[in-house]
Amino acid sequence: MSGIRPSSIRLEASSYCQLRCPSCPTTSKAIQPTVGSGFLTLENFQNLIRENPWLRQIELSNYGEIFLNPDLVKLMKFAHASNVALKADNGVNLNSVRDDVLEALVKYKFRSMTCSIDGASNGAYQIYRVRGNLTKVINNIRKINQFKKKYGSQYPELLWQFVVFGHNEKEIQAAKKMADELNMSFYLKLSWEPDFSPIRDHEFIREEIGAASREEYSERWGVDYMQSICYQLWDEPQINWDGKVLGCCRNFWGDFGGNAFDDGLLNSLNNEKMDYAREMLQGNARARKDIPCTTCGIYLAMQAAGSWLMVGSKSSEESESPAHRRG
């Protein structure tokens, strides 16, 4: 069969989330018509891996919180036994996790995890991570580190992702220090809603990130802040918890037809709509109304600038840099 056969895919474990982050489409329920609410089942997960033995890596996080999936330990155990690496680099909030699940992350060598922590104090953290509790998050990270010490493991590698707002920008240095003490990498990210708690010290953020807003980033570098997400249609396509093909982690407004569980992974990733979308993103085909990319701001920016993807010029690893995750 011609087309793509990626060794890495994105497969959402849970589209439920217990937090109510103001700018998130999960909070506004904008994801509901396409993504819906549900959990990846153990049966579908096992069948997908058995039927596609070339799979070597699966990203489990997207619009929900993976730790709400009641079968998560079983998913990790099966993937480990099948020599498939799991990660949650798109992000977790880490507010509600049982100790046995934290231990399983280490025991089954869950590779890496991005922890969304936008503050060094609970007061700042809770302004955006509504319903969250920073103390619980930090305690869970400490428990992971204890289990890593117990098992003599480097996994999971932890990244502290700090989305910058006006209300938390003065806590960046304190957060960096906390991350270092917790043996975490640290990454600053620009928010996707500039009108929510806008940045105040623009010069400081420019020094830290290179731009004080996503719009400024696009103007300075000539590409959309999130453009590398589009490479996921080749390198690491997004599958919904129910098998729908979403293409990339940003898409929640329409699927590409077919179902990875019912129709087979390769068939669903290489159907006519997915093939056409890849041609669109390279500037080789006109926009089409039935392709989800057509209404995406990233695609529209590429179209306006004539700045199309150069497939083959980036590796999967580069397109998965933290700056170009969904949020």
Side-chain angles (χ1 to χ4, degrees), residues 88-100:
D89 289 346
N90 211 347
V92 300
N93 65 61
L94 210 59
N95 272 269
S96 304
V97 195
R98 300 189 317 269
D99 285 1
D100 65 305

Side-chain angles (χ1 to χ4, degrees), residues 112-170:
S112 56
M113 195 162 66
T114 295
C115 306
S116 301
I117 311 173
D118 318 312
S121 69
N122 205 42
Y125 171 80
Q126 290 182 324
I127 290 175
Y128 188 71
R129 303 292 166 181
V130 178
R131 295 187 182 180
N133 186 302
L134 181 60
T135 301
K136 288 183 178 180
V137 175
I138 299 302
N139 284 339
N140 284 330
I141 291 169
R142 289 194 175 114
K143 288 177 183 178
I144 291 173
N145 285 334
Q146 289 169 1
F147 285 123
K148 288 168 75 170
K149 185 176 180 180
K150 174 184 175 180
Y151 285 91
S153 177
Q154 69 185 87
Y155 300 118
E157 296 177 345
L158 301 177
L159 171 69
W160 180 317
Q161 178 177 275
F162 189 112
V163 179
V164 183
F165 298 101
H167 66 263
N168 66 12
E169 59 188 24
K170 291 188 179 299

Side-chain angles (χ1 to χ4, degrees), residues 202-235:
H202 289 234
E203 283 306 314
F204 171 64
I205 300 305
R206 285 189 188 103
E207 290 176 6
E208 291 285 324
I209 303 179
S213 69
R214 295 189 179 197
E215 182 180 10
E216 185 178 302
Y217 179 96
S218 298
E219 291 173 355
R220 180 172 183 180
W221 303 108
V223 295
D224 190 279
Y225 185 66
M226 308 297 288
Q227 182 169 309
S228 287
I229 279 179
C230 302
Y231 286 97
Q232 291 173 7
L233 269 73
W234 287 264
D235 298 336

Side-chain angles (χ1 to χ4, degrees), residues 35-101:
V35 175
S37 299
F39 300 122
L40 171 66
T41 67
L42 178 62
E43 180 182 7
N44 283 334
F45 184 71
Q46 290 174 329
N47 289 339
L48 189 75
I49 289 176
R50 287 174 179 143
E51 293 168 5
N52 302 281
W54 56 84
L55 285 177
R56 287 293 171 262
Q57 182 171 261
I58 298 177
E59 163 69 50
L60 290 181
S61 61
N62 196 27
Y63 280 110
E65 173 71 352
I66 70 169
F67 295 113
L68 300 183
N69 188 313
D71 287 334
L72 186 59
V73 172
K74 294 177 181 177
L75 296 174
M76 288 191 279
K77 183 178 181 180
F78 183 80
H80 180 65
S82 304
N83 197 31
V84 174
L86 299 181
K87 60 179 182 171
D89 289 346
N90 211 347
V92 300
N93 65 61
L94 210 59
N95 272 269
S96 304
V97 195
R98 300 189 317 269
D99 285 1
D100 65 305
V101 178

